[in-house]
Amino acid sequence: RTLLQAVGLPGAADWARCCDYWRMFYGDLLYRWHLPQQRAELLKFVSVPLAPDNALVFGVNCVECAQPVEPPAQHCPRCKAFAFKCAVCDVPVRGLSNFCVQCGHGGHMAHMAAWFQQHDRCPTGCTCECLKHDPAAIRVQIA
């Protein structure tokens, strides 16, 4: 019998489940407060994999040859180019990103947030007014 059991505290497995519950609960609050980056950082520490849901899933086509790139791949299977480049700096995006649900363009979260603090149209010049379609998607805290 462990010390935790002797004093009536949950065992290690129950404790991990309890911590995961609170992490997911707090992650839900962060999502509602439009803090996706902080939520993603928090959910890295959930020990039990999250159950798959029927959420929005988007596909990426290669910017060079338009070949579909299946997640989690980052390179095009045909031409080996990076699948997703930032519309602001033209550097491949490997971490957290933002994209417009209307035109599909996007990039690094910090670059997109900085761009839309001063502009209301897509940085690619496609004339899409990205902020009209989903202004919450661009809301990011820049440190």
Side-chain angles (χ1 to χ4, degrees):
R1 205 171 144 160
T2 68
L3 178 62
L4 290 176
Q5 292 169 334
V7 294
L9 293 175
D14 292 332
W15 187 256
R17 248 191 330 261
C18 182
C19 290
D20 282 347
Y21 170 79
W22 287 108
R23 285 183 189 112
M24 288 188 279
F25 178 78
Y26 185 55
D28 186 50
L29 285 175
L30 291 172
Y31 177 79
R32 292 172 192 218
W33 294 337
H34 304 289
L35 298 170
Q37 188 170 9
Q38 289 82 351
R39 178 180 184 262
E41 289 296 321
L42 172 73
L43 293 181
K44 287 180 184 178
F45 298 101
V46 173
S47 60
V48 178
L50 299 175
D53 56 31
N54 294 327
L56 174 69
V57 177
F58 70 97
V60 175
N61 290 342
C62 175
V63 295
E64 301 295 328
C65 70
Q67 173 78 18
V69 179
E70 297 295 326
Q74 294 182 351
H75 293 87
C76 174
R78 181 186 295 163
C79 70
K80 307 300 181 214
F82 274 98
F84 186 41
K85 291 186 180 180
C86 179
V88 176
C89 70
D90 201 38
V91 172
V93 177
R94 297 178 189 196
L96 297 175
S97 62
N98 248 328
F99 67 96
C100 174
V101 295
Q102 185 67 30
C103 69
H105 297 125
H108 300 104
M109 288 183 82
H111 292 166
M112 298 303 286
W115 175 268
F116 286 111
Q117 285 177 352
Q118 307 212 351
H119 304 88
D120 61 348
R121 294 187 186 264
C122 182
T124 64
C126 75
T127 71
C128 179
E129 293 179 296
C130 301
L131 290 180
K132 279 188 175 178
H133 303 293
D134 191 5
I138 307 298
R139 214 178 298 154
V140 175
Q141 289 183 346
I142 301 174

